[in-house]
Amino acid sequence: ISIEYPKVTYSSYQMPKEIYNAYEVALKARYLDSALCILSLRRTLEIICKQQGETKGDLIDKVKKLADKGILPSVLKDVSHILRIFGNAAAHGDEVVFTKTQIEHLIEFTETIIDYIYILPKKLEKLKK
């Protein structure tokens, strides 16, 4: 299984299924509803935190704990904070207009987090063999 709409990005075997599914929804929603896309990106981040063992507290606490454990470097902690802020704005139903550039950046940010935690370690392991 791979994400084919709007483009092939990852194969599902490279990350936990729940993360793949949430991220896939975000990619599909990017051209349909920007708020839904951002909500799905934020949801993807929540699931990543849970997959990494952080299940207590709100999202900002979970991300801080991942950074404290060294799972996320400082820049990805900051990126996660931005994802959370945009996700909150999308969730509250205010008359916020998200630009195409903002959506693309948020997708890139999410992809970078997925790469760092799931994809790069698998590639490194494969090359070491």
Side-chain angles (χ1 to χ4, degrees), residues 7-128:
K7 66 179 183 172
V8 174
T9 305
Y10 294 122
S11 296
S12 60
Y13 74 88
Q14 294 175 304
M15 68 188 85
K17 184 178 180 178
E18 297 82 8
I19 294 168
Y20 178 84
N21 290 342
Y23 187 60
E24 180 181 30
V25 168
L27 292 181
K28 287 180 178 179
R30 85 183 340 160
Y31 301 114
L32 302 172
D33 184 321
S34 60
L36 179 60
C37 176
I38 293 170
L39 285 169
S40 296
L41 293 173
R42 188 189 187 287
R43 182 172 181 267
T44 302
L45 182 59
E46 274 288 351
I47 295 169
I48 288 170
C49 290
K50 289 178 182 176
Q51 288 284 330
Q52 294 299 311
E54 295 306 328
T55 58
K56 296 187 181 187
D58 57 18
L59 186 55
I60 198 165
D61 294 330
K62 292 173 188 172
V63 167
K64 182 182 181 318
K65 289 174 189 173
L66 290 183
D68 290 346
K69 288 195 230 177
I71 294 171
L72 287 177
S74 179
V75 70
L76 291 184
K77 177 184 171 191
D78 294 344
V79 161
S80 298
H81 183 63
I82 296 297
L83 281 166
R84 184 187 64 79
I85 290 170
F86 272 83
N88 289 349
H92 292 294
D94 297 328
E95 292 295 320
V96 179
V97 176
F98 302 104
T99 68
K100 181 179 177 184
T101 301
Q102 289 171 326
I103 298 295
E104 293 304 316
H105 285 315
L106 294 172
I107 288 171
E108 287 175 21
F109 291 168
T110 305
E111 212 165 277
T112 300
I113 293 168
I114 291 170
D115 279 344
Y116 188 83
I117 293 176
Y118 298 101
I119 310 303
L120 292 175
K122 287 186 187 237
K123 286 181 180 179
L124 180 60
E125 183 181 315
K126 186 176 180 180
L127 283 173
K128 285 181 177 181

